[in-house]
Amino acid sequence: MKASSFIQLQLSVNLPEDYKEFLDTTGYLCFDNISQEIYGYEQGFDIEKLPCVIAATKNNKEDYSLDPTEIVISHANYEDHIIILNTQTSYIFEISLDGYKKKLANSFSDWLSVMLARNEANN
C-alpha cells in the first residue's frame, strides 16, 4: 500500500495530489538549516510519534480545534503554532492555540518550494 493511501485511511481524508506525491516519493523531510520538519510517513514510522503526520494530527486535533479536513504537516518556529494542510482546499495555514490563523500558501507544493528556498538560503 502506498504511503498516501495509508495516511488517507488512517486520517479519513482525501489528500491533495501534491501532498500524496510527497508522501509516496519523499515521505518526510527535515531541514536542518531552518530547524523545520515536514511531517509525513515512511515504512517503519511509529504512527503514534512524530514525525508521523498521523501522530501530529491526532495529537493536536483537539487542542487546536482542527476541522476533520485539516492535518498537521509541521510545527512553526513559534511556540504553540502549527502548520496545517486543509485537505479540502489544499491551502496551508499557520495556526496557534489562541486562535491565530494565517494563510501561508495556496498549496502544499507552493509552501514546500518556500521551505526549500529558505533552507537553501540558510545553508
Side-chain angles (χ1 to χ4, degrees):
M1 176 181 288
K2 288 185 174 185
S4 60
S5 299
F6 181 71
I7 297 303
Q8 289 183 124
L9 283 173
Q10 291 293 313
L11 295 176
S12 301
V13 295
N14 291 314
L15 297 171
E17 290 301 320
D18 54 357
Y19 189 64
K20 279 192 215 179
E21 183 178 336
F22 169 79
L23 289 171
D24 295 336
T25 59
T26 305
Y28 154 80
L29 271 177
C30 181
F31 296 119
D32 292 329
N33 295 336
I34 57 173
S35 300
Q36 187 94 32
E37 287 182 296
I38 300 178
Y39 304 140
Y41 179 78
E42 293 179 353
Q43 194 145 12
F45 269 18
D46 184 337
I47 65 169
E48 295 182 10
K49 295 182 180 174
L50 296 177
C52 184
V53 67
I54 298 166
T57 300
K58 289 184 175 181
N59 292 344
N60 289 289
K61 191 169 264 313
E62 192 173 305
D63 289 343
Y64 288 87
S65 301
L66 299 179
D67 291 337
T69 60
E70 296 174 329
I71 63 171
V72 180
I73 58 168
S74 189
H75 274 82
N77 291 328
Y78 313 106
E79 188 174 336
D80 299 326
H81 287 239
I82 59 174
I83 308 298
I84 62 161
L85 166 61
N86 183 304
T87 60
Q88 191 170 37
T89 65
S90 298
Y91 296 159
I92 304 293
F93 293 95
E94 177 181 331
I95 62 173
S96 69
L97 283 173
D98 64 7
Y100 170 85
K101 188 172 188 176
K102 177 183 176 185
K103 184 177 172 186
L104 300 178
N106 288 327
S107 68
F108 175 77
S109 56
D110 288 350
W111 179 75
L112 180 59
S113 294
V114 170
M115 294 296 100
L116 289 166
R118 189 175 295 161
N119 188 62
E120 187 62 33
N122 286 292
N123 193 2

